[in-house]
Amino acid sequence: MTTVFDTMGTVVSLRIDEDGAGDQHADVVRAVRDRFTAFDLEFSRYRPDSPASAIAAGRLLLTRASAEHRSWYAEAVRWRNETDGAFDPHRRDGTVDLAGIVKAAAIESAGTVLDDAALGRWCCNAGGDVLTRGGTADRPWTVGISHPDDPRRLLTTVALAGARRAVATSGTSQRGEHVWRTDTAGAYRQVTVVADDIVTADVLATAVLAGGPATLYRAVDRWRVDVIAVTTTGDLVEAGATRASRQIPVVPRSAPSP
């Protein structure tokens, strides 16, 4: 079964790819939606009544926020430190903005609901960031990556199987320059990261977009992820944990459709 719903300013598509009782699946879908709604109410800065907005406006001290809010802020700060600031949970004005991690956190929470329901094969896609379960070598989950020049076109696909369960993309084609770059050259316009968990994939996609080649090399070597990046000059860069990061092949981007 497949269900689609709006939340957190994006669209979530949930596919449960196995037989089961309709009532049981309906209960699971409801619980998944509840988890996304909870994250939306807590963390979305576009909601004026959210704790995130109250913290940004100075109406609520972060130290008095919920334990979950403080925990995800601490996790975001840990990622900032581990990426040398390429990923940063603060805006340039100094206010806290956890948008770079909370969607992945919501997907991860939804994945826990699905696993607790003992569902063996499922795929949760939230605005192009994807977490799966049950992919195998002969039957992987295949995820399409949109072309940065035209979201209706396919740039490439990635296969998720075994421990490799997550893929996330960050780029400028849909939302403009929404990340705060530490790479002043702005080498990349779109970055996709394939990882074992969705938080790592999502955070590193943002970090590599912001930090450029140096962060890409570090991400591949340290976190053993796979990266597909589109440069601002129109080349496709692919790097993986099984390849030397300094021998990244670069191939011309396909020409736009007429």
Side-chain angles (χ1 to χ4, degrees):
M1 65 166 289
T2 300
T3 186
V4 179
F5 56 92
D6 296 329
T7 186
M8 299 183 74
T10 190
V11 177
V12 173
S13 173
L14 172 63
R15 175 175 171 179
I16 300 173
D17 201 10
E18 62 179 50
D19 295 330
D23 290 345
Q24 178 194 14
H25 285 175
D27 289 343
V28 171
V29 170
R30 189 177 302 110
V32 166
R33 294 186 68 158
D34 287 347
R35 289 311 302 148
F36 276 102
T37 297
F39 273 87
D40 191 21
L41 293 172
E42 178 75 23
F43 293 102
S44 292
R45 280 188 52 163
Y46 72 86
R47 302 181 72 104
D49 57 343
S50 72
S53 292
I55 291 169
R59 301 192 306 270
L60 175 66
L61 294 176
L62 181 60
T63 54
R64 297 196 174 183
S66 68
E68 185 173 41
H69 206 120
R70 288 182 278 114
S71 176
W72 280 110
Y73 175 73
E75 178 69 1
V77 169
R78 182 184 72 81
W79 277 108
R80 179 193 64 187
N81 295 338
E82 298 215 358
T83 60
D84 291 333
F87 177 86
D88 194 342
H90 304 93
R91 293 188 178 183
R92 286 293 181 248
D93 61 7
T95 60
V96 175
D97 188 345
L98 299 179
I101 197 170
V102 292
K103 184 171 72 168
I107 298 170
E108 181 181 79
S109 182
T112 299
V113 170
L114 293 160
D115 285 341
D116 287 348
L119 298 173
R121 184 175 170 87
W122 51 262
C123 176
C124 183
N125 180 337
D129 295 341
V130 178
L131 179 65
T132 65
R133 169 72 72 186
T136 61
D138 59 343
R139 193 186 175 202
W141 287 103
T142 302
V143 180
I145 309 302
S146 296
H147 198 291
D149 288 336
D150 183 353
R152 298 167 299 179
R153 294 178 57 205
L154 195 64
L155 176 71
T156 188
T157 61
V158 298
L160 300 179
R164 231 15 166 210
R165 299 177 54 207
V167 59
T169 298
S170 183
T172 61
S173 59
Q174 299 296 309
R175 297 175 58 192
E177 287 288 347
H178 65 286
V179 301
W180 306 290
R181 295 184 186 262
T182 56
D183 168 35
T184 57
Y188 304 133
R189 59 188 298 218
Q190 179 172 295
V191 175
T192 297
V193 173
V194 186
D196 292 353
D197 71 277
I198 189 61
V199 172
T200 296
D202 198 25
V203 167
L204 290 181
T206 299
V208 172
L209 182 68
T215 305
L216 185 151
Y217 301 148
R218 185 176 185 183
V220 169
D221 290 342
R222 178 167 182 176
W223 288 283
R224 312 300 290 171
V225 297
D226 299 301
V227 180
I228 303 166
V230 180
T231 71
T232 53
T233 57
D235 291 327
L236 183 67
V237 177
E238 295 180 298
T242 60
R243 288 169 283 182
S245 61
R246 296 188 182 278
Q247 297 179 3
I248 300 171
V250 180
V251 297
R253 185 184 62 187
S254 59
S257 297

